[in-house]
Amino acid sequence: MAAFVGRICGSGLLSSKNGVTLQKVQQFSTSRPWTRSQKLATAAGIAVGGAGALLYALEQSVAASGTEVHPPELPWSHKGVFNSLDHASVRRGYEVYKQVCAACHSMRFIAYRNLVGVTHTEAEAKAEAAEIMVQDGPDEAGNYFMRPGKLSDYFPSPYANEEAARAANNGAYPPDLSYIALARHGGEDYLFALLTGYCDAPAGIVLRDGQYYNPYFPGGAISMAQALYNESAEYSDGTPASAAQLAKDVSTFLVWSADPCHDDRKRMGIKSLGIILVLGTLVYYLKRHKWAALKTRKIAFYPKQK
């Protein structure tokens, strides 16, 4: 603006003979006053930005408060874009859940039919389902009866209702594990760290009766006792059942249960990328072919000879 006014002064447009003064130029150069809607929009933007900055600062202060330890990122075999789940590990994880975790935690969104073609054959899945008894009915007489489980049945809950679960666990309600890998920040890294991170409480932290210390759990005090020890479960394939191996396998199983379409989704993504690459190359070639004549043409003007 100063350079612009300087050029005007140098050109003589602000001389007295033209009847224009610098004061008038400044008067005309002032901006118009803001309307009410502009003021409200600006105030709202400042308020939203300030609230966002405050929330971010609070979140960072809580994250850095030191009340919990963030789990390390582990090199899981299924984390790559083109990597699938280790189905042998998923099967072993199911065995860990069945022998250890199912005593307290439910998986009410997973049915035995979901195991077919993933961890078990159809015959094996039917045998697993037949081990449970399910209430069915009513029959023709209006009575309910118990029957062996079928592929369409879901994993049984260890408790009849939430109140019974809390009464058996000192008031704590064991969460359902169907989608726990997606419901916790860190996913399988958090699950593995939680299952293997039990230790003695440091000085200054007092635990109530029925609580245990785990630095990866928010607050440190957790009502779930350490469940995985060496040889606390038995694998059907003979894999050594160390505590770390048990935690790794059950974490992989919970990743699958939270996203049963994990492998199919990645497979479809690879196919889609291939199709897009082929079609994109074809479209680019056709574009160059169609537009080559237009982009390389030369327009010449030849005046008419008299």
Side-chain angles (χ1 to χ4, degrees):
M1 185 64 186
F4 176 71
V5 174
R7 288 196 297 270
I8 293 178
C9 295
S11 62
L13 294 178
L14 299 183
S15 60
S16 58
K17 61 181 180 179
N18 292 331
V20 181
T21 63
L22 181 60
Q23 183 178 1
K24 291 184 178 180
V25 175
Q26 292 178 347
Q27 180 180 359
F28 284 112
S29 65
T30 55
S31 60
R32 295 179 299 175
W34 284 10
T35 62
R36 179 179 178 85
S37 59
Q38 290 176 329
K39 293 180 180 179
L40 291 177
T42 303
I46 295 175
V48 172
L54 178 61
L55 291 176
Y56 178 78
L58 292 176
E59 193 273 338
Q60 292 297 319
S61 65
V62 172
S65 61
T67 58
E68 61 180 294
V69 178
H70 294 279
E73 186 174 354
L74 302 176
W76 297 92
S77 60
H78 57 267
K79 272 199 171 182
V81 178
F82 303 105
N83 295 335
S84 63
L85 289 168
D86 183 356
H87 286 240
S89 181
V90 175
R91 180 186 176 105
R92 292 194 299 267
Y94 166 74
E95 295 175 352
V96 176
Y97 167 77
K98 177 182 176 182
Q99 299 177 36
V100 181
C101 307
C104 299
H105 295 274
S106 62
M107 295 189 72
R108 59 191 181 93
F109 296 105
I110 302 297
Y112 287 96
R113 64 171 178 267
N114 298 128
L115 302 176
V116 178
V118 179
T119 59
H120 296 71
T121 64
E122 183 176 352
E124 291 174 336
K126 286 183 177 179
E128 291 289 330
E131 293 180 2
I132 66 172
M133 298 300 293
V134 181
Q135 186 182 40
D136 203 350
D139 54 12
E140 296 179 354
N143 299 320
Y144 288 89
F145 57 93
M146 303 299 293
R147 61 163 177 82
K150 301 183 295 185
L151 287 179
S152 58
D153 293 321
Y154 290 84
F155 288 2
S157 175
Y159 304 104
N161 47 58
E162 180 177 345
E163 287 70 19
R166 291 187 181 277
N169 293 276
N170 295 324
Y173 180 61
D176 185 88
L177 298 183
S178 302
Y179 300 104
I180 197 68
L182 297 179
R184 296 294 183 269
H185 179 69
E188 56 268 44
D189 292 330
Y190 168 78
L191 296 176
F192 180 86
L194 182 72
L195 293 173
T196 59
Y198 286 87
C199 60
D200 295 333
I205 296 181
V206 180
L207 300 176
R208 295 181 297 178
D209 293 339
Q211 288 187 333
Y212 308 88
Y213 183 75
N214 194 313
Y216 297 100
F217 188 77
I222 184 173
S223 297
M224 183 182 74
Q226 183 174 356
L228 300 183
Y229 298 91
N230 294 333
E231 306 299 333
S232 60
E234 183 178 353
Y235 288 136
S236 59
D237 60 358
T239 302
S242 63
Q245 183 69 44
L246 297 173
K248 179 258 183 184
D249 290 333
V250 75
S251 298
T252 306
F253 171 70
L254 294 177
V255 169
W256 167 81
S257 67
D259 186 12
C261 300
H262 177 275
D263 293 351
D264 294 334
R265 175 168 49 81
K266 289 188 176 180
R267 187 181 300 111
M268 290 301 297
I270 295 173
K271 293 180 180 179
S272 301
L273 289 177
I275 294 173
I276 290 174
L277 180 61
V278 174
L279 293 181
T281 304
L282 179 61
V283 169
Y284 179 74
Y285 171 77
L286 292 177
K287 179 259 182 186
R288 293 295 299 269
H289 177 72
K290 292 294 185 181
W291 283 84
L294 296 177
K295 286 191 172 185
T296 59
R297 67 180 179 176
K298 180 180 180 180
I299 300 176
F301 174 73
Y302 297 98
K304 186 176 181 180
Q305 299 292 336
K306 293 184 180 180

